Amino acid sequence: MLHTIWKGQLHFGTIEVPIRLHSAVENSDVKLRLLHRECSTPIKQKRICPHCNVEVDHNDLVRGYEREDGTFIQLEEEEINMVKAPFLGKELSIFHFLKKAEIDPLYYNKTFFVLPLKENIKAYEILRAALQATNTFALTKIFLYSSDQYAVIRAYQNILALHTLHPYENIRYIRDDRLSDQVSAQDQKLAVDLIENLTEPFYPEVFHDDYQEALLKYIHEKEEKPKQERTIAHMMKALKASIDQSMIETKPPKNMNKKPRATS
């Protein structure tokens, strides 16, 4: 069952559509924990204050903003919640629409499925169909994970998907002065021809994390090896017992080779 990340209203002109968000991506990495080699017990992480050299209880923790001189401004949870409160509205308003090509993929952050609640499903379906027909994205803003984020909503299959966007100030600017913006028409044509010859449709089902699959396979094999060794040892023990029993059953009686006593 999908866990609901956010629930509220999507505003489209004068129309309101009750929606809920679900994470579109799940982490399928093989989960490994740190163990004590000697006894295979998971270790515990402790919060240690290096200044006081003591373990700090959760109730003694406070968040802090570091100044340039290395000192901190402490912020209590109540203070953070006070600043956060105006952003916690449960409404998504569509600002305007834009084409997919206008957004560089570098800005995409996280993806969520947008599903309708029971009310006003028809309006939801109309918006999805219109976005799909025009191949446009709807620009909006949402407060998620303690961050006020711009996002775009688009049609995905028969539902809507929401992509949060990195803020402009988080994107790094880079330029390599060794590179030229000019390429000869002949070189460009050769590269274009090569690209066209190697262009194929996108089939997402063929993309897998080969390392994670190999790691999980190795773990399963390592888990099965002791079982197989125990099975073989048990079979050998049973075979030896069977051979020993058969030797006892076929061994001649002690007096079988003695000559019969002469009778007078």
Side-chain angles (χ1 to χ4, degrees), residues 5 49 69 105 166 232 241 252:
I5 304 296
C49 174
D69 61 1
H166 291 293
I232 293 173

Side-chain angles (χ1 to χ4, degrees), residues 87-155:
F87 300 93
L88 295 179
K90 294 298 182 181
E91 296 183 355
L92 290 183
S93 296
I94 294 177
F95 302 142
H96 60 261
F97 298 90
L98 64 162
K99 295 296 184 181
K100 173 183 176 181
E102 295 182 53
I103 306 174
D104 192 288
L106 190 63
Y107 283 90
Y108 289 120
N109 187 6
K110 295 183 178 180
T111 303
F112 301 88
F113 292 139
V114 183
L115 299 181
L117 298 178
K118 293 181 179 179
E119 305 88 357
N120 215 352
I121 291 181
K122 188 65 176 179
Y124 175 95
E125 293 177 334
I126 293 173
L127 175 60
R128 184 208 58 79
L131 290 174
Q132 186 175 43
T134 56
N135 194 27
T136 56
F137 288 8
L139 182 67
T140 184
K141 204 174 190 183
I142 186 171
F143 190 83
L144 278 179
Y145 305 120
S146 298
S147 180
D148 192 32
Q149 307 177 60
Y150 280 96
V152 290
I153 298 174
R154 69 179 179 92

Side-chain angles (χ1 to χ4, degrees), residues 202-218:
F202 177 63
Y203 298 109
E205 61 273 11
V206 306
F207 295 99
H208 303 280
D209 190 329
D210 295 333
Y211 164 70
Q212 294 292 331
E213 292 180 358
L215 179 59
L216 188 60
K217 181 175 181 292
Y218 177 80

